[in-house]
Amino acid sequence: ASGPPLKALIAAGNGVGAVAFAPLAERLRAKGLSFIFLHPEPDGDFPHGVPNPLLREQIEELGREVRRHKADLGIIFDGDADRAGFVDCEGREIIPSQVFALVAQQKLLRNCLSKPLLMRNLCCSQLLSDLFAKPESDIELLDTPVGHGQIKQLMRHPKFRERILFAGEHSGHYFYPEFYSVDSGFLTAGKQD
């Protein structure tokens, strides 16, 4: 017997996130998810504060709303929705390195590369080294300079472009080489298999 649908609270912060995420939400509803949108109307004055997954007050508000609505997951997008932050059902932040690890592990399950490459910026936690940089591992974890432009440039470099599996930054940028190295909060929010 199946339980109630998983419920995600999407904090769009009056950016473009809710509008742009709507088509993906429709597809995910067919897979048993439901959504609550917080501040979905685009408003460049950002009346509820700057939507930024790195701001403590934004993550705390997301956590309060998740608890209030009894959601299973909370997702906050920045203004243009290329970054995403997450909280669990109790409103606790899922730190970006944990998100990176979850997506990377999922992608590694389908990996066809002989020595896959993961890129993380220097702000990411030790967790990623502990998981992916073991001496016996066939995975290469490359530390990159901070800045999504830096990572994109490295992802496209001839030395790396054939081996890059996934990349991420502490800022909530997650990069997908299969989509021209785009950084996408949407792809990360909808990542499932």
Side-chain angles (χ1 to χ4, degrees):
S2 63
L6 290 174
K7 184 181 354 178
L9 186 132
I10 308 295
N14 300 110
V16 299
V19 174
F21 190 72
L24 180 57
E26 277 306 308
R27 294 189 72 172
L28 292 172
R29 279 187 183 101
K31 293 187 176 204
L33 278 77
S34 67
F35 297 93
I36 299 165
F37 288 91
L38 185 64
H39 312 307
E41 307 81 17
D43 183 339
D45 290 330
F46 299 111
H48 299 98
V50 176
N52 182 342
L54 288 180
L55 294 177
R56 175 67 25 219
E57 60 269 18
Q58 293 286 328
I59 290 292
E60 288 172 356
E61 178 186 5
L62 178 63
R64 284 190 300 274
E65 292 295 325
V66 162
R67 289 189 301 272
R68 185 168 77 88
H69 289 280
K70 296 181 172 54
D72 299 298
L73 175 71
I75 304 168
I76 180 173
F77 294 120
D78 70 341
D80 62 354
D82 66 342
R83 295 187 298 135
F86 301 84
V87 300
D88 67 13
C89 63
E90 294 182 13
R92 296 176 302 206
E93 181 179 15
I94 304 169
I95 66 168
S97 290
Q98 292 169 321
V99 174
F100 180 108
L102 290 168
V103 175
Q105 287 174 332
Q106 191 177 69
K107 289 175 75 67
L108 283 164
L109 291 174
R110 297 182 316 279
N111 172 53
C112 297
L113 303 169
S114 60
K115 186 158 178 79
L117 174 63
L118 301 173
M119 292 182 181
R120 63 156 183 194
N121 74 355
L122 295 170
C123 297
C124 291
S125 81
Q126 180 65 30
L127 170 70
L128 301 179
S129 292
D130 293 346
L131 289 173
F132 302 117
K134 298 175 184 170
E136 69 277 8
S137 175
D138 288 333
I139 302 163
E140 181 181 351
L141 180 64
L142 180 69
D143 289 328
T144 69
V146 174
H148 69 280
Q150 302 274 356
I151 288 182
K152 286 181 180 182
Q153 191 172 19
L154 284 170
M155 289 176 75
R156 293 177 180 127
H157 189 281
K159 182 177 177 182
F160 304 122
R161 69 177 167 226
E162 299 300 320
R163 296 188 307 116
I164 182 71
L165 183 67
F166 186 60
E169 286 191 301
H170 178 74
S171 63
H173 282 115
Y174 303 99
F175 304 85
Y176 295 85
E178 64 271 31
F179 293 104
Y180 306 101
S181 303
V182 70
D183 48 326
S184 174
F186 293 162
L187 288 174
T188 308
K191 202 70 185 145
Q192 58 177 322
D193 285 318

